[in-house]
């Protein structure tokens, strides 16, 4: 085993293993502060952050540092590799520069509570040891890791689909502005009047460049201008930035905005259609902002979403999220979050119907399509058979006692 130490925050030890990753069944809450924060990162780094947030909230591979109480998340390198879709070359070799960059990542954000702009390191430890990738999140960011307010619920499988880092950032930014369930304390990107489906989100072009990570906000001059300000002057900060990439509006539009918008519009799972227009200072003037027009649940997805709203009209987004977690804990087999949603929708979020369907599935023994069986059982009103005194097992764990003969008759009659 070869060990490499790059600095105090990074220790990399080579010893790869290959294990298949079977499930991407995670939705997670991301604080709007993190979504709107300004920092430069690669697509892999952005995805890893979202993976870490999902793992922490689902309490997978998470511990607490006994010294300072900060949150530590560890993920097997083989699992991380499969989640990121990496199939070639040495993953250790590819992950090493990512770890180095993550350890040095400093994010800038508007602290609305204290009316100031703050820069903080995102991680205090990044380590790759014994084929396990570990990060420790800055304890000052703890309130934003599993937030109770000012957040947006995102799907990890969708995040992992994106092929462009600017698409990922833009989608999260626009979706957070259109996410109507948690608007208390939302930042100034709050959309203008909306009918609940159509939103206008206007943002200054220089602020957008910092938010997307086109320009690094953590350089010395930029930090000096932005730090401590209650109303950050992004235009002034841009003038003192050492990076001049995409300084021309036409180039920025063609290489960044058009590419990100196109990927969003060509990814049905995003559930939105985006268009935009430049905001100019006077007729024919300089472009100083962009007005994004977002239509939620457009096209083929509209009918599905409307059905979901009707089925769960009495539940809030948070309550549905909690129900998904409850169903995930109930079902011991590996089931994706998409399938969990389908089961909940079929039962109109009635947990008793879901529990009954699952217990019937347990009694049926081997089932090729568990999700399909449960949905059919819910829709057709399968009832649990009468109890008897003998014991039965399903997947090697004790279950309730039922009359299998009567249950077989029920299934035959249903079919």
């Amino acid at each position: 085993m070869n060990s490499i130490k790059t600095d105090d925050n990074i220790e990399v030890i080579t010893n790869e293993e290959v294990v298949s990753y079977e499930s991407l069944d995670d939705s997670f809450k991301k604080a709007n502060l993190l979504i709107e924060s300004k920092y430069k990162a690669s697509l892999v780094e952005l995805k890893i952050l979202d993976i870490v947030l999902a793992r922490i909230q689902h309490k997978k591979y998470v511990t607490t540092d006994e010294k300072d109480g900060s949150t530590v998340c560890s993920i097997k390198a083989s699992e991380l590799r499969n989640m990121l879709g990496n199939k070639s070359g040495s993953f250790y070799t590819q992950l090493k520069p990512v770890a180095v960059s993550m350890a040095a990542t400093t994010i800038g954000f508007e602290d609305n509570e204290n009316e100031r702009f703050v820069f903080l390191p995102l991680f205090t430890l990044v380590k790759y040891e014994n084929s396990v990738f570990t990060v420790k999140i800055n304890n000052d960011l703890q309130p934003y890791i599993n937030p109770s307010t000012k957040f947006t619920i995102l799907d990890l499988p969708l995040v992992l689909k994106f092929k462009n880092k600017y698409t990922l950032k833009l989608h999260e930014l626009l979706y957070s502005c259109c996410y109507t369930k948690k608007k208390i304390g939302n930042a100034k990107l709050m959309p203008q009047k909306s009918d609940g489906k159509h939103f206008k989100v206007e943002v200054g072009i220089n602020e957008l460049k910092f938010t997307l990570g086109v320009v690094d906000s953590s350089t010395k001059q930029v930090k000096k201008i932005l730090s401590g300000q209650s109303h950050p002057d992004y235009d002034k900060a841009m003038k003192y930035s050492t990076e001049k990439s995409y300084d021309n509006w036409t180039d920025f539009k063609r290489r960044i905005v058009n590419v990100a918008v196109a990927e969003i519009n060509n990814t049905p799972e995003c559930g939105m259609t985006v268009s935009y227009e430049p905001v100019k200072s006077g007729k024919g003037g300089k472009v100083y902002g962009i007005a994004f027009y977002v239509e939620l649940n457009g096209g083929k997805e509209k009918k599905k979403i409307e059905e979901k709203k009707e089925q769960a009209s009495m539940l809030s987004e948070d309550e549905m999220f909690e129900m998904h977690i409850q169903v995930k804990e109930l079902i011991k087999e590996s089931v994706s979050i998409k399938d969990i949603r389908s089961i909940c929708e079929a039962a109109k979020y009635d947990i008793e119907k879901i529990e009954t369907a699952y217990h019937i599935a347990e009694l049926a023994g081997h089932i090729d399509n568990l999700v399909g069986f449960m949905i059919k059982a819910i829709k057709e009103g399968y009832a649990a058979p009468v109890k008897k005194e003998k014991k039965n097992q399903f997947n090697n764990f004790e279950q309730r006692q039922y009359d299998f003969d009567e249950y077989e008759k029920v299934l035959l009659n249903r079919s």
Side-chain angles (χ1 to χ4, degrees), residues 84-97:
L84 295 173
N86 186 300
K87 299 180 180 178
S88 61
S90 167
F91 190 51
Y92 154 70
T93 302
Q94 298 171 49
L95 196 58
K96 178 184 173 182

Side-chain angles (χ1 to χ4, degrees), residues 8 64 87 90 92 138 174 176 187 200 209 229 248 284 287 310 312 322 326 372 384:
D8 292 338
T64 301
K87 299 180 180 178
S90 167
Y92 154 70
N138 185 346
L174 295 179
S176 71
K200 179 182 179 181
K209 288 180 179 179
Q229 301 300 312
N248 179 276
V287 176
E310 182 180 352
E322 293 300 327
Q326 189 175 353

Side-chain angles (χ1 to χ4, degrees), residues 260-379:
V261 168
E263 187 174 5
I264 289 173
N265 290 340
N266 290 324
T267 306
E269 294 89 341
C270 287
M272 63 166 60
T273 301
V274 179
S275 59
Y276 72 92
E277 64 180 8
V279 180
K280 301 180 180 180
S281 55
K283 188 176 181 180
K286 182 179 179 181
V287 176
Y288 69 88
I290 301 179
F292 290 98
Y293 298 93
V294 182
E295 179 182 358
L296 294 182
N297 314 325
K300 297 179 180 179
E301 297 297 310
K302 183 176 181 179
K303 183 177 180 181
K304 294 182 181 179
I305 301 298
E306 290 303 320
E307 289 175 351
K308 290 180 183 180
K309 287 182 179 179
E310 182 180 352
Q311 291 168 345
S313 59
M314 300 304 293
L315 294 179
S316 68
E317 194 79 15
D318 293 343
E319 288 171 331
M320 285 191 286
F321 179 79
E322 293 300 327
M323 176 73 79
H324 296 159
I325 300 300
Q326 189 175 353
V327 174
K328 178 175 172 57
E329 292 175 349
L330 168 70
I331 299 176
K332 298 173 177 60
E333 291 71 29
S334 178
V335 181
S336 71
I337 190 64
K338 181 179 179 181
D339 287 335
I340 286 176
R341 287 198 189 104
S342 297
I343 293 170
C344 290
E345 290 159 12
K348 296 186 178 179
Y349 284 82
D350 186 334
I351 189 63
E352 292 185 1
K353 290 182 179 180
I354 296 172
E355 289 174 343
T356 298
Y358 183 63
H359 290 317
I360 291 174
E362 289 175 335
L363 294 170
H366 178 73
I367 297 175
D368 291 331
N369 185 351
L370 173 63
V371 175
F373 180 93
M374 287 184 64
I375 290 175
K376 185 175 182 180
I378 291 168
K379 289 183 176 180

Side-chain angles (χ1 to χ4, degrees), residues 210-250:
F210 283 118
T211 304
L212 296 183
V214 175
V215 179
D216 189 1
S217 65
S218 64
T219 58
K220 184 177 180 180
Q221 286 297 323
V222 172
K223 287 177 68 174
K224 185 177 180 180
I225 293 169
L226 297 179
S227 293
Q229 301 300 312
S230 58
H231 301 287
D233 190 339
Y234 295 106
D235 296 334
K236 182 179 179 181
M238 185 63 70
K239 290 180 181 178
Y240 285 88
S241 171
T242 57
E243 296 179 288
K244 300 301 178 184
S245 300
Y246 311 112
D247 194 38
N248 179 276
W249 158 246
T250 301

Side-chain angles (χ1 to χ4, degrees), residues 28-38 147 149-155 158 162 167-192 194 199-203 207-208 211-212 264 270-272 274 292 294 296 317:
F28 65 101
K29 298 181 288 186
K30 190 167 185 178
N32 291 345
L33 178 144
L34 291 178
I35 291 175
E36 297 164 8
S37 61
K38 278 67 177 167
T149 60
K150 309 175 189 177
F151 64 78
T152 301
I153 293 180
L154 301 169
D155 284 334
L158 172 60
F162 291 130
T167 305
L168 189 155
K169 290 284 285 183
L170 183 62
H171 173 264
E172 290 187 353
L173 179 67
L174 295 179
Y175 189 57
S176 71
C177 293
C178 304
Y179 188 75
T180 57
K181 300 297 182 183
K182 288 286 179 184
K183 283 305 181 187
I184 300 175
N186 215 4
K188 64 183 181 182
L189 294 176
M190 176 79 75
Q192 298 178 13
S194 168
F199 296 82
K200 179 182 179 181
V201 181
E202 191 170 313
V203 58
E207 179 181 1
L208 182 63
T211 304
L212 296 183
I264 289 173
C270 287
M272 63 166 60
V274 179
F292 290 98
V294 182
L296 294 182
E317 194 79 15

